Amino acid sequence: MSNPIRILHIGLGPLGQMLGPYLTEKDHLQVVGAVDADPEKSGRDLGAAYNLDRPLNVVVEGSLDAGMMNDADVAVVTTVSDIRALYPTLEQAMEGGLNVVSTCEELAYPWDAEPELARRVDDLAKANRVSILGTGVNPGFLMDFLPVATTAVCRNVDSILIERIQDASRRRLPFRQKIGAGLSVDAFQKRVRNRQIRHVGLTQSMQMIASRLGWSLDRTEDIVEPVIARTEVRGKDWSIQAGRATGVNQTGRGFADNREVLTLVFRAAVGESQPRDRIRVFGTPEVDLTVAGGINGDVATCSIVTNAIPVIHRAPPGLRTMVDIAPISAS
């Protein structure tokens, strides 16, 4: 591209900071503005906020303004998982004429869970001639787009089983805490009830797949349970006693004509012996696709968001999904 796509990055938390090097290493992208509500980040050079060893000569601002939006083509938003919480930022960006790529999980496919809000976003995007996309590794790729693409070789599809199994032993302490590793069963269940332990996006992934395959789901289920240690599990500087949670097992089920046609298993726990990403399509022919060891979620999410920017910059106006835009590839 002769002129780089100008990026306004909104949200410089842990994910936003990880994303920074991906955005700044591409010649066809240029980060021209950044916004974060954290007063400790506001006023800093973006290079420091990204933990880079060089300045970027872009000052992090505390809020959006019209001048910043006039200078940019695409807003990359790495803030919240909830589409209702995201909407004020989306609205401001769309009215400022910005296309948007966001890691908001509920934005990946909001048409069934939030139909009125999805229509509002779609209408406003079309009115301002911009495109909006929610994406990431999951939802956005491994448990929805990739299974849909896998069915291309099938004459017919009866049902699909999708598994994302991760060994959290080597992940950082905050991740192990996020999945409830080390908690008693009672404490784990309390956090589930308070929605503090929950992978957001299984329902959106099921609805995205169903919409593309032409299935009408009667209902969906999203069940969160602890993975329980049968014996003591030990790491370098931690241990989990038998009977306590080693992580989370979340199962999404989608039913059509009272038959289970979609089963999505998301499990993240310390000590998983066979981490993997697996797609099993039951149909003609049957397809069994496994990525041994699984895909690194941090690298994959940052890559997908970065590689989606040129695609969404050229996409037709409106609220888009990963199954209705041009294929994303490394660039």
Side-chain angles (χ1 to χ4, degrees):
M1 295 182 182
S2 57
N3 296 313
I5 299 172
R6 298 168 299 170
I7 308 302
L8 173 59
H9 190 178
I10 303 171
L12 304 177
L15 177 56
Q17 291 171 5
M18 275 192 297
L19 181 60
Y22 293 72
L23 297 177
T24 55
E25 70 186 9
K26 303 288 188 181
D27 292 338
H28 63 275
L29 303 179
Q30 180 184 5
V31 183
V32 297
V35 178
D36 194 279
D38 184 354
E40 294 187 3
K41 295 187 179 76
S42 181
R44 299 177 67 193
D45 183 88
L46 181 59
Y50 281 163
N51 298 313
L52 300 178
D53 58 4
R54 68 187 191 281
L56 295 176
N57 298 319
V58 173
V59 176
V60 178
E61 303 291 345
S63 60
L64 277 171
D65 63 48
M68 298 172 68
M69 290 184 284
N70 289 338
D71 290 337
D73 302 306
V74 177
V76 173
V77 185
T78 48
T79 53
V80 295
S81 300
D82 183 287
I83 188 175
R84 289 191 172 275
L86 178 70
Y87 182 76
T89 300
L90 275 183
E91 182 179 41
Q92 196 170 358
M94 289 187 289
E95 291 179 344
L98 296 181
N99 302 291
V100 177
V101 177
S102 175
T103 56
C104 174
E105 289 92 339
E106 291 186 355
L107 185 64
Y109 193 88
W111 292 101
D112 288 334
E114 293 282 359
E116 292 184 10
L117 190 55
R119 281 194 295 270
R120 193 188 315 168
V121 172
D122 188 48
D123 289 344
L124 189 56
K126 290 174 178 175
N128 288 281
R129 301 189 61 78
V130 297
S131 303
I132 310 298
L133 177 70
T135 191
V137 68
N138 181 34
F141 188 79
L142 285 174
M143 301 187 82
D144 36 50
F145 172 81
L146 189 56
V148 166
T150 302
T151 67
V153 300
C154 297
R155 184 176 185 179
N156 65 281
V157 177
D158 296 321
S159 63
I160 305 175
L161 167 66
I162 305 163
E163 297 177 321
R164 180 153 170 75
I165 312 298
Q166 303 174 75
D167 181 8
S169 299
R170 299 180 182 179
R171 299 293 295 272
R172 295 171 298 137
L173 176 61
F175 182 82
R176 298 199 302 271
Q177 292 173 330
K178 181 181 178 180
I179 62 174
L183 294 178
S184 68
V185 174
D186 287 344
F188 185 99
Q189 298 290 12
K190 182 178 180 180
R191 291 197 183 185
V192 171
R193 290 192 295 273
N194 293 335
R195 301 176 73 82
Q196 293 172 301
I197 295 178
R198 181 177 74 105
H199 170 70
V200 180
L202 288 193
T203 298
Q204 285 72 21
S205 290
M206 288 188 285
Q207 291 165 342
M208 188 189 304
I209 295 169
S211 71
R212 189 62 176 181
L213 296 185
W215 292 348
S216 179
L217 297 181
D218 306 324
R219 70 183 192 280
T220 61
E221 298 177 350
D222 193 343
I223 302 167
V224 183
E225 301 170 308
V227 180
I228 306 299
R230 296 182 179 180
T231 60
E232 184 181 29
V233 181
R234 300 185 66 86
K236 182 178 179 181
D237 55 0
W238 53 268
S239 63
I240 296 176
Q241 298 174 348
R244 287 184 168 263
T246 60
V248 62
N249 188 88
Q250 189 163 339
T251 305
R253 294 188 174 94
F255 298 84
D257 296 326
N258 292 317
R259 183 173 65 89
E260 186 172 339
V261 294
L262 289 170
T263 307
L264 279 61
V265 178
F266 174 88
R267 183 158 69 245
V270 298
E272 284 294 330
S273 60
Q274 292 184 311
R276 62 192 179 275
D277 287 301
R278 185 186 188 192
I279 300 165
R280 190 172 182 186
V281 180
F282 297 91
T284 308
E286 183 173 315
V287 181
D288 194 343
L289 175 65
T290 299
V291 180
I295 300 292
N296 183 293
D298 294 338
V299 174
T301 290
C302 292
S303 299
I304 290 170
V305 170
T306 302
N307 293 325
I309 292 169
V311 175
I312 206 65
H313 184 52
R314 299 188 298 264
L319 175 55
R320 312 259 63 97
T321 72
M322 287 289 287
V323 295
D324 66 22
I325 58 173
I328 293 173
S329 62
S331 56

